[in-house]
Structures are given as C-alpha cells and as structure tokens.
Amino acid sequence: MLGAALAVAVVVVVALPFLREPTPDSDALHELDAAERERLEAEEARDRALAALKELEADHRAGRISDEDYRAVVGVLRRDAAEALRELDRVRAMPRGGTRTESAKSA
Amino acid sequence: MAELGRAALVITLGLSAYALVAGAAAAALGRRRLALSARNALIASFFSTLVAAAVLVAGFLRDDFSLAYVAGHSSRALPFAYKLSAFWGGQEGSLLLWLLVLTGYSALAVWFARKRARDLVVWVTPVLGGIAVGFSWLLVGVSSPFDTIPAPADGNGLNPSLQNPYMVAHPVLLYLGYVGLAVPFAFAMGALLSGRMDERWIVATRRWTIVAWTALGVGQLLGAHWAYQEVGWGGYYAWDPVENAALMPWLAATAYLHSVMIQEKRGMLRVWNVTLVSLAFCLSLFGTFLTRSGVVSSIHSFTQSAIGPWFLAFIVVAVVFSVTMIWLRLPQLRTTARLESLVSREATFLYNNLLLVALCLTILWGTAWPIVSEAVRGEAVVVGRPYYDFFLRIFGLPLLLLMGIGPLVAWRRASLRGLARVFAWPAAVAAATGVALIAFGAGSSIPGLIAYTFSAFVLATIALEFSRGTAARRALTGESVPTAFSRLVGRNRRRYGGYVVHASVVLLAIGVAGSSAYDSVVEGKLARGESLAVGGYTLTYRNLTEKDAANATEIRAVLDVRRGGDSLGTIKAGKNAYSVEQQVSNEVGIRSDKLTGEDLFVIAEQVNDDGTVFFRIFVKPLVNLIWLAGLVFVLGSVITLWPDAREERRLATRYATVGERRERTATT
C-alpha cells in the first residue's frame, strides 16, 4: 500500500511539467545560439585576462615575483586584456539570435 | 516493511531509467518539458532511495531478523550506534548507501546548476540517471538488502573489526568521496555531449569536486586511524588493495584540482582535464568494485560476493563512454594557448600532474596486477610494501618539493634569477633543517631526511606567502595585521585555503616519515613483573584483567610505563572475545605524547593460559601529526569552499546572458 502511494507520488512529480503546461506556446529547449556562445567565450576570455593581470600585480606587490619577471610578463598580459575587451565589445555589438527551433540539433 | 523497501528500490530503478532515456531524448530532440520531467525523475529518485534506506534502518533498530541482511549483520546485543553503522557493514547496505549518496548528489547538483548551466544540465541528467540505473539494478536484480528469511531468534552480529567508532563515519565519508566524483564526471560528459566547451561545467562542479575530494581524503585518514587502533598490526596503512582503491581516485582528483586552474587561468589542458575527471570517476568505480566484489584478498574481504561481473561491465561502459566522448570532441577541446616556458606556474602544475598521475597509475598497476595475473595465468602474485614504498619515494618526494615551488613561480614564464631571489629564504630554512637533522642523528634514513628537508622548505614558503601577502595588504590599505591577514585570506580563499591544505600534506609527510623511518619496535613474552625496554620507555607487565561488556568479554594486560626515572602511569592492551560473532579481536594500547606527537603502541599478540603474554611494542615518533593533518586539511578545504560573494556576483554577471535571461516560469 505504501509502495503504491510512493509510486503514485513520483508519477505526479515526473508528470508535473506536462500537467502545469499542457499546451505550451513553445516546448523548445533553450539552447545557446552561435552569438551567445561567442559572447560567453569572450566574457570568459575577458575574465581570464583581467584575473591574470590582477594576480600578477598582487604577486609583484607581495614580492612573490621579481621586477624582472614582472616586466617580462606584464606587457603581454595587458595586450591580452585589451584584446579580450575589444573582442567582447565586437561580440556584444552583434545582434542576438533567438532560441533554436525544435528541429535543430545541438552540436 | 520489506515489501516497501523493495518497492522503493524498484521505483528508484524506474525513475533512474526514465531520467536516462527521457533525459537523453529530451536533450537530443530539444524538448523542454521532457527535460524538466527527466530532471524531476532524477530528483525524485533520491526520495524513493531515502525511503528504502529508512526501511533498512528501521529493520536494524527493530531487530527485524526476518530481513536476511539485518540477521547477517546485527544482533540484539549490538550497541545502538553499531546497529546504525551495520547498515553499511555488508555489501547490500553499502550499495544502498552508494545509491543514496549518488541520488542525493545528483538531485542537489542539477538543482543548483539549473540556472547558470541549464542547457548543460539537460545533458547531465541522463548521465547521472545512467549511473543510478547501474547501482539500482544491482540492488533490485542482483543483491537486494530486502531478501527475507524465517526470522531467527538472534542475528549473527557485526564483524568485530567494524565495531569501532571510526567505522561509523569512515565508510560514509569514503562514499561521499567516491560517489561525489560522479558529479564532475557527469558535467564533463554533459559538456562533451552538448558540445559546450566553455567553463560552465567547471564552475558548476568546482565545489562538488572539492567536497568529494575532501570527504575522500578525510575518509581515508579515518580509515587509517581505524586500522591503527583496530586491526592491531602496528601500522595505519598497509597498501591493502581496498585502501589503494580509495587513494587512486583521490590522487587523480588532486591532479584535476591543480590542472583545472591552468584551464581557468590560461584556457589550456582541456583534454587533460576531462580525461582526469573521467579517470577519477572510473577509479572510484574500480574502488567500489574491489571493495564489493571480493576479487582481492584484503582485510576488507568480509565483502565477498558475486556482483563482480556486473561491476566490471559497469566500469567498461564508463571507460568506453568517456574515451569515445573525448575522442569525438577532440577538435573542439583543442586550444591555441601553448606552454610558453618550462619555468612557469603552469609548467610546475603540469609536473605536479605528471607525478600524481604516475603515482596513481603505479598504484593501479600494483593493485590490479595480482588480479590480472590470477585471472590470466592462474598464479596469485603478491605486490608488497617495498614496491609501493619505492614509488611513493620516487614520485612523492618531488611532489612535496613542487608544493613549495609551484605557487611562487609566475604564470607564463619566470627567470631563474628571479626564482633564486624568491626562494632564497625557504631554501636557507630547508638547508638549515637538513644540517640540524643530520647533527641530531636523523641521517639514518635518507628518504626521511629528504622528506623533512623538503617539508621545511614548503612550510617556509607557506609562512612567507602569508607574511608577504599580509604585509603587501597593510602597505596598500593601512590595516592592522589581524585585519589585513583575515581579509587577505577572505578575499583569496582558493589560494590561501590551498596553502592550508598544502600545510596539512606537509604535516602528513612529517608524520609518515617520522613514524615509519624512525620508529622502534621490540617484542617478547613476559611473565608478571618482567619488563621490555624500547625507545627510552620501560614497560613492566603488571597483571591480567577480565571484564564482561555489553557484547564481548574484554581481556586486558596491564603494563606500568616508565621513561627515564619517571612513572607515566599504565597502559592496557588485550583482546575482546565476541560471544555472538564467535570472534576475537586485538585491542591495542596507545599512549600519546601530546607535546611530541609520539605514540607508545602496545599489542598483546598472544595471551597464554599460564598468564604470560606475548607483546609487540612500538614507539612511533610524530605519528600524531598524521591525525592533526586531517584537521588542518578540513580547515583548508572549508576556507576554499566558503562562498565568495564577489566571485558569485562576477559569475552571475557573466552567466546572466546565457542562463537567467530567458528564465521561464515552468522550471520546477
């Protein structure tokens, strides 16, 4: 009896999305379109570049990294950060795509 | 009640299968409601498994010996705490614990990632469902804890070795570790299946991985302490196959926790990271296989059973699936970033990874070779302690050194002159330590001397890191030392939590080196009034006592302990005779010196009818640092895990565009 009650309860939980939305406007799964993916990757690259620069500054300030090593790397990191920011601006300026259609397949 | 337990497990199997099949279909066809339904099934599977677990616990607490599993692992006289831990004292209960932890982790992981990585969770659900199908099938179709028998008057009792407080916590923590590695594996596979090679799978699993890794580490230390106190052979780690089974995934996960930083900082090592995550999970399955299948002879061999072939098939499926997915996604996993210098932070992390993986594979070879040999050639081969000790020194000592070097080397490239300046102080401290140790006579063990010298180096770098960081912060903000220190740690939790974990590994290394390279041992048969001397102690056998406890007769030899001219009291060692289980266990006597971390460890090997006792007595210097390392390890992990509001805000901003922008109402 308790087993049957448990079975009924889980069936309701599993069926909940269909019970709540018997006839939805769209049943399509939200997937990232190409523009969104590019934007996400650009944001990750930006965060990576800025974090690297910040860490280098902190390491140098704390004396973990010598002046010589600092000078050898800081220019490269600054260029990377500027490039990442430029790329993010470029991607952000692009028009956003919509949700993918139901027939479309993910990569 | 057995029917309810069986029904609950069948329901879990059905829900897991639905999460697998419907989840895969939803992901492939892009069906939103079906994906939510599959996710709900995965979450519901935790609750149905919880019902099954509650039924089994109730069976133990009510002495329901009509359940064959309860009758086989409990008795009326068993103390309450051990009736609870008897739940995982045998195979079926252990598998149920595995499933309970797995479905619990799965429910929490998909729920917490539902916003930031919704499109990823869609693919993660069937992977976690697939793993749950494997374990729920074992419990439903192969090895059920709810088989019934005509109830005997009393049960067989619990294996005496398991009647120890550590056995209440050790298996649970170990399983929290083993099973927790399923979460990063599922997200990595979800990322590969979906083709989302961004960092979200790493971000979504960062904490789960650290939780699993911490639990696995602490679980092993508790197991070592259990072996030290309960098994009664004078050690804490015997390179037993089942002990190795827990160490291997921990080593692979340790390698991953380091290499994933390179992916986060430089976008490199994507293939390596998914490989390590897969390796860690497959090794956790292999570990469960070793523990549960009984294919190896071990102190854990109370778990002999016939589920081996199923487990082996499960491991093969996991390995083939991961290798195939990585192979298929290789072009997308490749990155343009390259290692710029062999002297850089990423290079030292890479060396660390190579050493960790080499150690892990060496242990795997030593563990698996006897099984393979017996299966193929019919000859049982023993891979003994010298093999493991040799490779632990070869790979472990450089790893110890790298722990001090890695964090102080610049990313991308570092000059040797700069490094010489940064490492001048730690190197001087290490050299001074080495010279002092030789002067005090510690040169008898070269590996021990090297381990202590490297440990001094690493501790010096860690101390320097904290002091330099605090000083730099004070110079910038003018804060007081305590404020600057706490804010330094609070705002760089991963970094400084990592240093605390490194400090715990150093303590572990010092404890292991001290207790194994510099220990003393003496053995002999004593009559009353006779003495043995070892490591500065003199022990005199006084008398024999006998006491009836709740479920055992406790026989203890009492010895007076003296050091120099001072009396240090008495120490008791003996045996417990368990009447229900018809077994005898060794009960060692341990006297710990809180100041030096040294243990006096007494085993009463044989108690003779004429009142004489054969003793084996050890003095183990610094052994208590191993257990202290466990506390420091947990502290470091908690610092690392503690939520960082600024980091959370940054991630929320980053992922606002992908997960939360199109938040729909029908997500529950």
Side-chain angles (χ1 to χ4, degrees):
Chain A
M1 188 62 190
L2 283 172
L6 183 64
V8 171
V10 300
V11 167
V12 170
V13 170
V14 171
L16 210 56
F18 296 100
L19 296 174
R20 280 190 169 179
E21 289 186 282
T23 52
D25 296 337
S26 166
D27 193 29
L29 202 58
H30 166 56
E31 298 277 3
L32 301 187
D33 57 35
E36 282 176 312
R37 284 196 204 186
E38 209 173 337
R39 182 187 163 119
L40 182 61
E41 280 168 19
E43 293 204 15
E44 285 179 352
R46 185 257 335 251
D47 287 352
R48 215 163 25 233
L50 292 179
L53 201 50
K54 194 176 158 192
E55 190 172 341
L56 179 76
E57 298 289 356
D59 283 350
H60 182 236
R61 207 166 39 239
R64 289 183 201 109
I65 291 174
S66 66
D67 292 343
E68 184 187 348
D69 289 345
Y70 173 78
R71 280 194 297 273
V73 176
V74 70
V76 181
L77 291 190
R78 282 181 183 154
R79 272 196 299 280
D80 284 356
E83 173 60 31
L85 287 169
R86 266 197 303 275
E87 175 64 11
L88 185 59
D89 286 343
R90 184 189 70 76
V91 174
R92 277 179 174 163
M94 286 166 58
R96 273 181 180 167
T99 51
R100 64 172 225 176
T101 59
E102 292 188 27
S103 57
K105 297 280 173 71
S106 62
Chain B
M1 291 297 274
E3 291 77 16
L4 178 60
R6 273 195 291 269
L9 285 179
V10 170
I11 289 168
T12 300
L13 176 61
L15 287 168
S16 312
Y18 182 81
L20 168 64
V21 176
L29 301 172
R31 303 286 178 187
R32 180 173 56 84
R33 287 179 304 166
L34 192 60
L36 288 172
S37 172
R39 193 194 70 188
N40 284 3
L42 191 64
I43 294 171
S45 70
F46 166 66
F47 292 98
S48 55
T49 311
L50 195 60
V51 169
V55 169
L56 191 59
V57 169
F60 275 108
L61 296 184
R62 293 167 56 227
D63 293 327
D64 182 358
F65 300 125
S66 67
L67 288 170
Y69 184 73
V70 175
H73 298 89
S74 184
S75 65
R76 293 187 191 281
L78 197 64
F80 175 79
Y82 298 140
K83 280 188 179 173
L84 285 179
S85 65
F87 181 106
W88 46 85
Q91 174 180 275
E92 295 86 348
S94 291
L95 290 175
L96 182 54
L97 179 64
W98 223 105
L99 185 64
L100 182 68
V101 176
L102 173 68
T103 51
Y105 266 125
S106 301
L108 289 171
V110 297
W111 182 257
F112 282 118
R114 72 191 187 284
K115 288 186 177 175
R116 283 186 190 161
R118 181 176 306 154
D119 54 328
L120 203 60
V121 166
V122 170
W123 290 94
V124 170
T125 301
V127 179
L128 288 169
I131 301 168
V133 164
F135 279 89
S136 46
W137 164 246
L138 287 176
L139 284 159
V140 169
V142 185
S143 188
S144 172
F146 298 111
D147 287 344
T148 51
I149 53 169
D154 201 354
N156 296 337
L158 184 66
N159 186 316
S161 296
L162 304 182
Q163 295 184 39
N164 179 292
Y166 286 101
M167 272 296 136
V168 179
H170 159 67
V172 177
L173 281 166
L174 221 49
Y175 277 27
L176 281 171
Y178 273 148
V179 186
L181 293 173
V183 176
F185 171 76
F187 274 81
M189 290 302 114
L192 294 176
L193 283 163
S194 64
R196 312 284 183 270
M197 297 305 148
D198 53 73
E199 285 179 15
R200 283 177 302 157
W201 76 269
I202 292 172
V203 173
T205 59
R206 190 183 286 154
R207 286 209 164 79
W208 297 111
T209 312
I210 297 175
V211 166
W213 176 77
T214 304
L216 198 52
V218 176
Q220 286 177 85
L221 269 182
L222 289 182
H225 208 171
W226 166 77
Y228 187 63
Q229 286 193 341
E230 190 66 32
V231 182
W233 61 278
Y236 40 80
Y237 198 90
W239 296 106
D240 178 283
V242 176
E243 291 171 339
N244 295 347
L247 181 59
M248 289 184 286
W250 188 82
L251 289 171
T254 307
Y256 167 71
L257 285 173
H258 286 87
S259 65
V260 78
M261 279 190 264
I262 303 179
Q263 182 167 344
E264 288 179 79
K265 300 281 184 189
R266 299 286 322 275
M268 294 162 61
L269 299 187
R270 290 177 174 189
V271 179
W272 181 245
N273 282 325
V274 287
T275 305
L276 279 181
V277 163
S278 305
L279 178 68
F281 175 67
C282 291
L283 285 172
S284 80
L285 285 180
F286 182 64
T288 314
F289 165 72
L290 284 183
T291 320
R292 294 291 133 214
S293 67
V295 296
V296 290
S297 172
S298 132
I299 57 163
H300 301 75
S301 56
F302 47 81
T303 59
Q304 300 269 348
S305 81
I307 63 165
W310 291 98
F311 246 112
L312 216 48
F314 197 8
I315 294 169
V316 169
V317 169
V319 170
V320 169
F321 176 64
S322 359
V323 170
T324 307
M325 286 314 305
I326 294 168
W327 179 261
L328 289 174
R329 294 297 185 195
L330 266 183
Q332 287 158 275
L333 285 168
R334 289 206 177 97
T335 51
T336 50
R338 291 281 177 271
L339 194 65
E340 292 176 21
S341 166
L342 292 177
V343 186
S344 60
R345 178 90 55 91
E346 48 270 53
T348 58
F349 277 27
L350 197 59
Y351 305 145
N352 144 302
N353 260 242
L354 293 175
L355 289 167
L356 281 167
V357 172
L359 181 59
C360 178
L361 295 181
T362 308
I363 296 170
L364 177 63
W365 179 251
T367 308
W369 174 240
I371 306 169
V372 175
S373 170
E374 193 161 357
V376 176
R377 303 192 306 174
E379 289 176 23
V381 177
V382 177
V383 178
R385 186 172 198 99
Y387 168 87
Y388 294 109
D389 283 350
F390 174 77
F391 284 107
L392 181 65
R393 286 168 192 157
I394 293 292
F395 297 127
L397 290 174
L399 265 172
L400 188 60
L401 183 65
L402 276 177
M403 240 172 23
I405 295 174
L408 296 192
V409 181
W411 289 99
R412 288 177 183 260
R413 68 180 78 98
S415 67
L416 292 176
R417 192 160 16 139
L419 288 182
R421 196 181 63 78
V422 169
F423 287 115
W425 272 107
V429 169
T433 305
V435 171
L437 285 170
I438 292 169
F440 283 110
S444 58
S445 166
I446 299 299
L449 184 65
I450 296 173
Y452 282 156
T453 309
F454 285 180
S455 295
F457 176 80
V458 180
L459 285 179
T461 60
I462 293 171
L464 207 58
E465 272 293 88
F466 276 97
S467 68
R468 275 175 175 163
T470 306
R473 189 170 172 85
R474 286 193 72 205
L476 202 66
T477 62
E479 292 166 345
S480 65
V481 172
T483 307
F485 178 82
S486 59
R487 290 194 175 155
L488 174 80
V489 176
R491 295 194 171 184
N492 301 277
R493 285 172 195 162
R494 287 176 76 188
R495 180 176 205 147
Y496 287 94
Y499 289 147
V500 176
V501 170
H502 282 184
S504 77
V505 178
V506 172
L507 287 177
L508 182 75
I510 294 173
V512 169
S515 59
S516 56
Y518 301 105
D519 66 339
S520 318
V521 61
V522 67
E523 58 185 29
K525 190 166 87 169
L526 297 184
R528 284 173 191 171
E530 290 182 333
S531 301
L532 278 173
V534 58
Y537 294 89
T538 303
L539 290 96
T540 306
Y541 171 36
R542 185 64 53 204
N543 62 329
L544 210 55
T545 64
E546 191 171 318
K547 189 177 87 178
D548 284 330
N551 58 335
T553 302
E554 298 178 354
I555 301 159
R556 295 288 181 273
V558 184
L559 299 103
D560 289 336
V561 184
R562 300 184 73 82
R563 185 163 51 187
D566 302 329
S567 168
L568 302 177
T570 60
I571 192 166
K572 294 177 182 176
K575 295 185 182 293
N576 280 2
Y578 292 84
S579 50
V580 175
E581 293 83 0
Q582 293 291 300
Q583 291 183 45
V584 175
S585 68
N586 259 340
E587 301 298 321
V588 302
I590 301 173
R591 185 190 179 282
S592 300
D593 188 323
K594 301 270 187 305
L595 203 62
T596 61
E598 179 178 274
D599 268 3
L600 175 66
F601 186 101
V602 181
I603 308 168
E605 289 274 16
Q606 195 178 328
V607 181
N608 301 310
D609 293 339
D610 62 359
T612 58
V613 179
F614 188 88
F615 292 101
R616 183 180 294 168
I617 303 169
F618 295 86
V619 174
K620 293 186 165 291
L622 301 171
V623 69
N624 284 291
L625 291 189
I626 296 174
W627 323 128
L628 178 65
L631 295 176
V632 179
F633 177 70
V634 171
L635 174 69
S637 297
V638 168
I639 292 172
T640 309
L641 280 168
W642 206 262
D644 183 339
R646 289 187 314 158
E647 172 75 358
E648 289 302 312
R649 277 198 298 275
R650 189 179 65 77
L651 291 173
T653 307
R654 184 201 285 178
Y655 295 126
T657 54
V658 293
E660 292 161 14
R661 188 165 60 84
R662 296 183 204 179
E663 187 75 18
R664 299 185 64 105
T665 52
T667 56
T668 50

